[in-house]
Amino acid sequence: MASERKRLPLRAFSFSFFLSRKFARYGVPALLAVLLAQSSGISLTYILKELVDAITIKDESMWNWAFVYVGLFAVSATLWRTSGFLGMYWITHTRSETNRRLYRWLSQHSSRYFANQFAGSLAGKVSNAANGLNHMLSKVLWDFLPTFLRLFLSMVLAYIANPVMALIMAIWAGLFLVINGWLVKKKAVLSRSTAESYTRLKGQMVDILANIRVVHQFARRPQEIDRVDHHVDDLQTKIFRSWRYSEFILLFNNALQVVLLAIMLVVALQLLMQEILTVGEVIMMIQLTWGILDALLFIGNSMNSMMESYGEVQEALDVILEPHEIVDLEEAPMIRVPKGEIKLDRVSFAYEPRKPLLKDFSLHIPAGQKVGLVGESGAGKSTLTQLLLRMYDIQQGGIFLDGQNIATHTQESLRHAISFVPQSSHLFHRSVRENIAYGKPGASLEEIQEAARKARADAFIEDLTEGYETLVGERGVKLSGGQAQRVSIARSMLKEAPILILDEATSSLDSESERQVQEALMELIKDKTVIAIAHRLSTLLAMDRILVLDQGEIVEDGSHQELLDHNGTYARLWKHQVGGFLVNH
């Protein structure tokens, strides 16, 4: 996965070829079937010419030509259906591969990347790319390939009948393709702009619906409707411009059609009067002209349609295939953390280059030690835990677990070694059982129930309508804050990682829920290296050591009693506590 970025093309056409060639065992035969089917179909024009000439003179060979005509038609139809079945496998497999590859790439992006994107629009981009690629491959296989072959063979047949008329066709076709190629460049720009506008609308809708409770609570529905209306109007304008341009192209192509048809009819009739062409050849030339007109108009329409899909795919690739901010080294080994010792050695880190948060920061936490982090907002507490999880890469220094530099090992193995309980529980819209088992895939029901018991969650789970199979709703909205937090703790218990991070795990709970969660946490922190962030200082009394951070530096370090005796920042914060809460001044 670390080297996948080097192999994923950034341009829509290159990307589609790259993914589709994996299924060439279906694609190549499908292409050959299309070529043979179209060749057979074009040959029918020549057979018809021979049949008409034979009928004109009432030659017995007309029966043979009639038989060949029907037989060739059957062959052509069979080949088209063959291409359909083969193409079905080729395109659906490529579409699935597109979903897989883009989601894998997307899931490797950093926290910073997702913080700057709408989750709903990202999911939409993956879908748009897969759908657009599906449409592009279908166009190439069943539209562009047979149509260009039809043009070429029509030119050959026209040349056989009369080189002058063939030359007229060739010049006109070349002019048509050049002009349309120039016109669709602007169409591609309009299509991409439309795709971007659609993405913004979808992102806004998802964001509003995800926070619909806040919208209702603050009576902001009219304002949010206005916001959506603004994006709807913008999308409508973009669609109108793109569609209007398409109609202009079609109108221009219709005018070119009239010109060619008039020229070809005049020339063909003149040659017939001069007995240079037979009646059958005139009919063939008229058929070829109509075929070329239809083919070129079809190409023009297909190019318009293709550019819409191209715009969707390209817009998605531009966002999804951004370089990953945090990348594993080639052949990086898995990290093994049997003890849980943590060491930060002269670490420097900044979210923005000109605003360093940590500078030459060093910290040693022996295996099994329980450390509390205290400090005002922005002191660097959460940043420290995010760096341990390697959600961001440091600029200087090193972070070591059991003596191993986390930057030289895989991110997945690092995060396997750390359990994380956040302030707000993050649950999937799945069953309680699935949410708890997320900490240990394949866990038995007995293991899940034991983790729930230790987390003081078993009683309320059994009271749910479907017990452990109850769906918790999106983000766990069907559970109370305390219930959701205990499910989250049960999940971490099941993970059994040697290092545990608690980030304000009880700050948003009522007193009774906090008591139950605190009991669960006491069970969870046994035999682990613990880093706990808390504004409620009373939750840190069980810690072996408390660190007070200020602007990315450790200003105090000691046990609860030692820091009180020191009478510094921690003692001041402790005195300002009211019922376990920090009073802001």
Side-chain angles (χ1 to χ4, degrees):
M1 294 288 279
S3 60
E4 188 174 3
R5 180 66 178 82
K6 300 175 183 177
R7 304 196 307 270
L8 284 177
L10 297 176
R11 309 311 300 172
F13 288 123
S14 300
F15 183 83
S16 63
F17 173 75
F18 173 79
L19 292 188
S20 63
R21 69 181 182 180
K22 179 179 179 180
F23 308 103
R25 63 186 181 277
Y26 303 121
V28 171
L31 293 171
L32 291 175
V34 167
L35 291 175
L36 292 173
Q38 186 69 326
S39 299
S40 301
I42 292 297
S43 299
L44 290 173
T45 303
Y46 178 79
I47 302 302
L48 181 61
K49 171 255 183 189
E50 294 292 340
L51 177 61
V52 169
D53 283 341
I55 292 173
T56 302
I57 61 175
K58 298 181 181 179
D59 189 271
E60 287 294 323
S61 62
M62 64 181 178
W63 296 107
N64 295 331
W65 288 117
F67 177 78
V68 171
Y69 190 89
V70 173
L72 197 58
F73 177 84
V75 169
S76 177
T78 301
L79 287 168
W80 280 119
R81 295 287 54 78
T82 301
S83 75
F85 282 105
L86 291 169
M88 172 183 66
Y89 283 101
W90 182 45
I91 293 172
T92 55
H93 278 74
T94 302
R95 179 175 183 166
S96 297
E97 185 70 6
T98 302
N99 279 313
R100 275 192 289 267
R101 287 294 191 96
L102 290 183
Y103 178 75
R104 288 173 186 171
W105 186 258
L106 184 62
S107 66
Q108 285 184 288
H109 277 300
S110 67
S111 298
R112 193 196 312 268
Y113 172 89
F114 288 105
N116 294 325
Q117 302 286 343
F118 285 116
S121 69
L122 290 175
K125 289 181 192 299
V126 174
S127 178
N128 288 346
N131 292 338
L133 206 60
N134 182 94
H135 188 248
M136 287 171 62
L137 291 178
S138 297
K139 283 291 181 183
V140 169
L141 181 59
W142 290 300
D143 290 356
F144 286 108
L145 180 64
T147 304
F148 277 110
L149 179 61
R150 180 182 180 184
L151 275 175
F152 174 75
L153 294 178
S154 295
M155 296 296 178
V156 171
L157 288 177
Y159 182 82
I160 293 173
N162 186 274
V164 174
M165 296 192 72
L167 180 62
I168 294 173
M169 288 182 179
I171 293 174
W172 189 89
L175 183 65
F176 181 95
L177 292 174
V178 168
I179 293 174
N180 273 265
W182 178 77
L183 290 174
V184 296
K185 285 184 178 180
K186 182 177 179 181
K187 173 66 176 179
V189 174
L190 293 173
S191 296
R192 181 172 174 176
S193 177
T194 301
E196 291 172 349
S197 183
Y198 174 74
T199 295
R200 286 192 294 270
L201 171 62
K202 186 172 183 179
Q204 289 290 336
M205 285 184 170
V206 171
D207 186 47
I208 293 169
L209 293 176
N211 294 282
I212 195 66
R213 286 188 175 184
V214 177
V215 174
H216 289 165
Q217 289 164 359
F218 284 83
R220 298 287 291 179
R221 196 175 70 88
Q223 289 78 7
E224 296 302 338
I225 289 174
D226 289 341
R227 178 185 290 269
V228 170
D229 284 347
H230 169 74
H231 287 283
V232 169
D233 291 341
D234 178 66
L235 177 59
Q236 177 179 312
T237 300
K238 299 289 179 59
I239 292 174
F240 179 78
R241 288 176 182 172
S242 181
W243 195 340
R244 181 178 60 188
Y245 190 77
S246 296
E247 290 298 326
F248 167 76
I249 293 176
L250 294 176
L251 179 63
F252 183 77
N253 288 341
N254 288 147
L256 291 178
Q257 278 186 306
V258 172
V259 172
L260 178 63
L261 182 61
I263 293 173
M264 294 301 289
L265 278 174
V266 169
V267 173
L269 292 176
Q270 287 289 338
L271 293 176
L272 176 65
M273 292 175 64
Q274 298 172 21
E275 298 184 352
I276 296 176
L277 295 180
T278 65
V279 173
E281 287 173 333
V282 170
I283 293 175
M284 183 183 75
M285 293 303 296
I286 292 173
Q287 273 202 315
L288 289 175
T289 300
W290 274 114
I292 290 173
L293 289 173
D294 287 342
L296 290 173
L297 185 60
F298 187 72
I299 288 175
N301 292 340
S302 296
M303 289 172 75
N304 272 313
S305 179
M306 170 77 87
M307 285 304 103
E308 291 180 5
S309 298
Y310 174 87
E312 290 182 352
V313 175
Q314 191 60 60
E315 192 261 346
L317 296 184
D318 287 343
V319 174
I320 295 174
L321 294 184
E322 284 186 14
H324 289 142
E325 182 180 357
I326 302 173
V327 181
D328 289 337
L329 298 176
E330 292 284 351
E331 307 301 328
M334 296 177 65
I335 196 168
R336 306 292 180 183
V337 188
K339 298 178 181 179
E341 179 192 35
I342 300 172
K343 183 178 180 181
L344 285 80
D345 183 27
R346 300 178 65 84
V347 169
S348 294
F349 173 75
Y351 291 105
E352 299 177 19
R354 297 181 180 180
K355 297 180 179 179
L357 185 57
L358 300 179
K359 187 175 182 181
D360 291 331
F361 183 93
S362 295
L363 172 65
H364 178 233
I365 302 176
Q369 190 175 73
K370 294 158 182 55
V371 177
L373 300 182
V374 177
E376 302 289 349
S377 297
K381 306 183 298 298
S382 294
T383 296
L384 186 59
T385 63
Q386 294 298 301
L387 294 180
L388 282 175
L389 288 163
R390 206 184 168 199
M391 296 300 183
Y392 301 91
D393 269 338
I394 59 177
Q395 281 82 50
Q396 290 182 352
I399 301 176
F400 302 87
L401 300 185
D402 284 355
Q404 304 161 89
N405 192 332
I406 66 172
T408 61
H409 294 73
T410 64
Q411 299 171 60
E412 292 293 326
S413 63
L414 165 67
R415 292 161 191 165
H416 272 300
I418 301 174
S419 286
F420 183 74
V421 181
Q423 176 179 354
S424 299
S425 57
H426 299 287
L427 303 182
F428 294 96
H429 183 27
R430 303 171 190 174
S431 68
V432 174
R433 177 183 58 79
E434 289 175 291
N435 273 286
I436 295 177
Y438 206 75
K440 184 181 179 181
S444 67
L445 180 58
E446 290 73 21
E447 291 176 302
I448 294 170
Q449 290 173 331
E450 177 62 16
R453 185 189 65 77
K454 290 181 179 179
R456 310 296 192 271
D458 54 326
F460 85 78
I461 292 175
E462 291 171 359
D463 286 339
L464 296 174
T465 54
E466 297 182 54
Y468 284 86
E469 298 304 319
T470 302
L471 295 177
V472 302
E474 188 174 5
R475 300 181 183 178
V477 295
K478 292 184 178 181
L479 304 179
S480 70
Q483 291 173 336
Q485 195 71 323
R486 277 175 279 163
V487 169
S488 180
I489 291 171
R491 179 167 60 192
S492 295
M493 284 181 169
L494 202 57
K495 187 175 182 181
E496 296 181 342
I499 297 173
L500 172 65
I501 295 175
L502 304 173
D503 189 358
E504 303 281 5
T506 63
S507 64
S508 61
L509 304 178
D510 59 76
S511 298
E512 177 58 25
S513 295
E514 180 185 11
R515 182 189 63 78
Q516 294 175 324
V517 170
Q518 285 282 22
E519 291 177 358
L521 289 176
M522 291 304 102
E523 185 78 30
L524 178 59
I525 66 177
K526 290 179 180 178
D527 304 319
K528 296 181 187 295
T529 302
V530 178
I531 296 178
I533 300 174
H535 279 129
R536 296 187 190 182
L537 303 186
S538 59
T539 63
L540 300 180
L541 296 179
M543 298 295 105
D544 302 319
R545 178 182 172 196
I546 297 174
L547 305 179
V548 180
L549 300 182
D550 184 25
Q551 296 183 358
E553 295 183 0
I554 299 174
V555 295
E556 293 182 21
D557 183 352
S559 67
H560 169 72
Q561 191 58 50
E562 288 172 343
L563 295 183
L564 287 181
D565 294 341
H566 183 262
N567 200 29
T569 303
Y570 181 81
R572 176 177 58 82
L573 294 174
W574 180 260
K575 291 174 183 178
H576 288 170
Q577 290 269 337
V578 177
F581 289 92
L582 194 65
V583 178
N584 295 317
H585 294 287

